[in-house]
């Protein structure tokens, strides 16, 4: 039974990394519920929350969540709020379908805005290893054949692109799409 409103996904950056900025997922779910959101579900510790909101678009929800989160936890986390349609498009437009079966080698970065041609060109200059990437609107797809942990290029992405974003491996992307689809059913 689906409720009223729109299904969104919130992608947090910089929480629960290397034992720092610890946020428990049960507390994060309660935080969303206390703000009046419904059908709240989280996925893994890196901060992925699927929720339903009766009012507001992605931009106003981002502002609201970032301010409330900082007040509650005492530090800033950049949060990318996107609607279900965005996530569906992200999966459908994957330029590396042949790698989708190896989810640790394929990552999607949710970017705050669409990068300029100059920003993408600057990043392409740094892509000299085995990796390849493609940008579609506000998503950067990265294929790292040796995995993200061994990728020198992956570490250069945020510094070189200079567009704030947060990355998720393809397994997380697929799990979130499943959650969003279920919430919208």
């Amino acid at each position: 039974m689906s409720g009223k409103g729109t299904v969104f996904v919130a992608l947090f950056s910089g929480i629960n990394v290397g034992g720092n900025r610890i946020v428990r997922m049960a507390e994060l779910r309660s935080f969303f519920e206390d703000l009046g959101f419904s059908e709240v579900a989280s996925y893994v510790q890196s901060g992925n929350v699927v929720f339903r909101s009766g009012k507001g678009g992605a931009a106003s929800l981002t502002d609201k969540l970032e301010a409330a989160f900082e007040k509650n936890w005492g530090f800033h986390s950049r949060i990318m709020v996107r609607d279900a349609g965005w996530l569906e498009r992200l999966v459908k437009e994957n330029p590396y379908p042949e790698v989708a079966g190896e989810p640790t080698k394929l990552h999607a970065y949710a970017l705050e805005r669409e990068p300029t041609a100059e920003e993408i060109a600057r990043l392409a200059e740094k892509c000299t290893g085995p990796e390849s990437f493609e940008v579609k609107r506000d998503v950067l797809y990265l294929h790292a054949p040796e995995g993200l942990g061994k990728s020198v290029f992956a570490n250069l992405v945020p510094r070189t692109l200079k567009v704030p974003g947060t990355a998720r491996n393809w397994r997380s992307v697929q799990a979130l799409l499943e959650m969003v689809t279920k919430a919208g059913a």
Side-chain angles (χ1 to χ4, degrees):
M1 174 89 188
S2 69
K4 287 192 168 72
T6 307
V7 176
F8 290 93
V9 60
L11 305 171
F12 287 72
S13 61
I15 66 170
N16 298 334
V17 179
N20 297 316
R21 296 180 159 190
I22 300 298
V23 177
R24 302 201 191 301
M25 291 303 106
E27 291 170 14
L28 194 59
R29 289 191 298 271
S30 297
F31 165 77
F32 272 78
E33 287 163 358
D34 292 347
L35 288 173
F37 301 120
S38 61
E39 297 177 53
V40 178
S42 64
Y43 175 73
V44 300
Q45 299 302 308
S46 56
N48 307 283
V49 179
V50 171
F51 66 100
R52 189 181 287 278
S53 175
K55 54 181 188 283
S60 64
L61 290 171
T62 299
D63 294 342
K64 177 181 178 174
L65 284 166
E66 283 187 351
F69 181 90
E70 192 163 353
K71 193 174 167 193
N72 199 62
W73 272 277
F75 66 87
H76 178 74
S77 174
R78 190 177 296 282
I79 306 168
M80 304 287 169
V81 178
R82 300 289 187 268
D83 64 23
W86 176 89
L87 192 63
E88 287 160 7
R89 191 183 74 227
L90 181 156
V91 172
K92 198 167 73 198
E93 293 185 352
N94 170 23
Y96 304 107
E98 70 285 358
V99 199
E102 299 178 82
T104 59
K105 296 178 180 181
L106 179 60
H107 288 72
Y109 291 71
L111 302 172
E112 202 168 74
R113 62 170 171 80
E114 187 171 338
T116 64
E118 291 84 354
E119 287 167 330
I120 294 168
R122 196 168 58 225
L123 188 61
E125 284 171 20
K126 303 270 189 198
C127 193
T128 55
E131 302 85 358
S132 53
F133 76 93
E134 202 171 311
V135 176
K136 293 188 178 185
R137 290 181 277 241
D138 62 349
V139 178
L140 182 149
Y141 298 86
L142 172 63
H143 174 216
E146 294 165 6
L148 205 67
K150 290 188 174 148
S151 171
V152 173
F153 176 68
N155 291 327
L156 300 173
V157 171
R159 285 201 304 272
T160 306
L161 196 60
K162 292 191 170 67
V163 179
T166 187
R168 295 296 183 270
N169 72 27
W170 206 248
R171 181 172 290 129
S172 294
V173 167
Q174 289 172 315
L176 288 169
L177 180 63
E178 212 171 284
M179 291 166 70
V180 159
T181 304
K182 208 185 294 178

